Amino acid sequence: MKLLLIGFGVVGQGLAEILQSKAAQLKQAQGLSATIVGVITGSKGSLFHADGLDIAELLAAAEIGSLDAYPERTGLRRGLSASEMIAAGDSDALVEMSPTNLQTAQPALAICHQALDAGLHLVLANKGPVALDYANLRAKALSKGLQLRYEATVMAGTPTMQLAEEALAGCEIRSARGILNGTTNYMLTRMEAGLTYAEALAQAQALGYAETDPSGDVEGWDAAGKVLILANALFGSSLTMADLDVSGITQISAADMAAAKSAGQRYKLIAGASPSGGSVKALRLPLSDPLANVAGAANAITLETDLLGAVTLIGAGAGQLETGSAILSDLLAIQRGAGRI
Ligand code: HSE
């Protein structure tokens, strides 16, 4: 399977590392032979080779800070745009991992449509296009017999979308509620242990949990984007950000946290989605609430279903390999659905 990668930051490099370290196992056990033919970054340049790029050299160039450091090869093309790479016609799937824009979803959204128009399967870690234009992307993918997959957009590699859409396909899901942002959950956990807000945020950034612009995490917008994705995918809603009640953790002081602690409670940023709406809000939960004990960058979600009652999933919500793992899972699903390509 030949891949075009849009974005080569924390997540893109995580995916590349996984594809490199698991190459033999993926080929032998799953029949997946994944080749990265193109990489586009916002600030480090772009590379394309129809026969595939060398992952170790790609990672080394990214480490140096510029894809210009990738060694010269016959057939290597530098500086191509996403449109040019798509038009080159040498790829099977486009993996969108550029920074999330929850206002317009651009420039990623236009690239996603171009990829589907050109017959490429689409895998997203970028939340913007799925949060803001899911219905159109899905309709286009369906009409062309292509897969649209976005496991990485909610709870990283913890299989939220596959659980909801595949394992629970026979159930009606009535609501979803949980902790959907790893950065703020990590920060709240560390602040409770005595770190300042700034120290906790700096650690979350260093660990690769935060968005490129972390205000989206701490003000609740990242979790709100995930609420829209869940609303779109689970309930077929057409909610927009303006329909959601959103706040974050910026207003929580050390004194608030101490007061919660002495009352046997803990602050958590709780996101909820139902067919009628959604919200993101910092709430004081009693320690007896299972969500109160989800610590660090972990996330959790409870799906209320008609046949099974509540189904709860807890696992990684952010991180380099954790998110790369979601993309791998989507690539394997494409492999299963489309045969060996
Ligand atoms: N910034 C996001 C988070 C990354 O902290 O949850 C995963 O979507």
Side-chain angles (χ1 to χ4, degrees), residues 127 152-153 155-156 180-184 209-211 217 222 226 299 317-319 323:
K127 287 153 267 203
T153 61
M155 289 178 67
L180 297 182
N181 181 265
T183 299
T184 47
Y209 302 148
E211 296 299 299
D217 293 293
D222 176 81
K226 292 162 180 167
N299 280 188
T323 309

Side-chain angles (χ1 to χ4, degrees), residues 85-150:
M85 287 194 195
I86 291 168
D90 288 297
S91 14
D92 303 303
L94 182 132
V95 187
E96 226 309 331
M97 302 171 287
S98 63
T100 291
N101 169 348
L102 287 170
Q103 269 85 47
T104 65
Q106 299 293 7
L109 182 57
I111 294 171
C112 290
H113 278 286
Q114 282 174 30
L116 291 172
D117 287 336
L120 274 65
H121 297 289
L122 187 55
V123 177
L124 293 111
N126 182 337
K127 287 153 267 203
V130 196
L132 304 190
D133 199 34
Y134 174 80
N136 289 324
L137 289 170
R138 182 164 185 272
K140 189 172 278 187
L142 275 174
S143 75
K144 293 184 153 282
L146 296 167
Q147 292 208 32
L148 166 67
R149 305 202 66 98
Y150 45 92

Side-chain angles (χ1 to χ4, degrees), residues 257-331:
M257 294 195 72
K261 194 172 181 177
S262 58
Q265 296 176 329
R266 185 172 278 152
Y267 275 98
K268 289 291 174 190
L269 187 64
I270 302 298
S274 73
S276 58
S279 63
V280 178
K281 210 169 183 54
L283 299 176
R284 273 169 65 157
L285 304 181
L287 296 181
S288 57
D289 187 320
L291 290 182
N293 297 301
V294 175
N299 280 188
I301 194 165
T302 298
L303 302 172
E304 288 291 343
T305 73
D306 58 346
L307 302 179
L308 285 164
V311 178
T312 297
L313 184 65
I314 301 176
Q320 183 168 46
L321 296 180
E322 294 84 345
T323 309
S325 145
I327 297 168
L328 172 59
S329 156
D330 282 345
L331 295 176

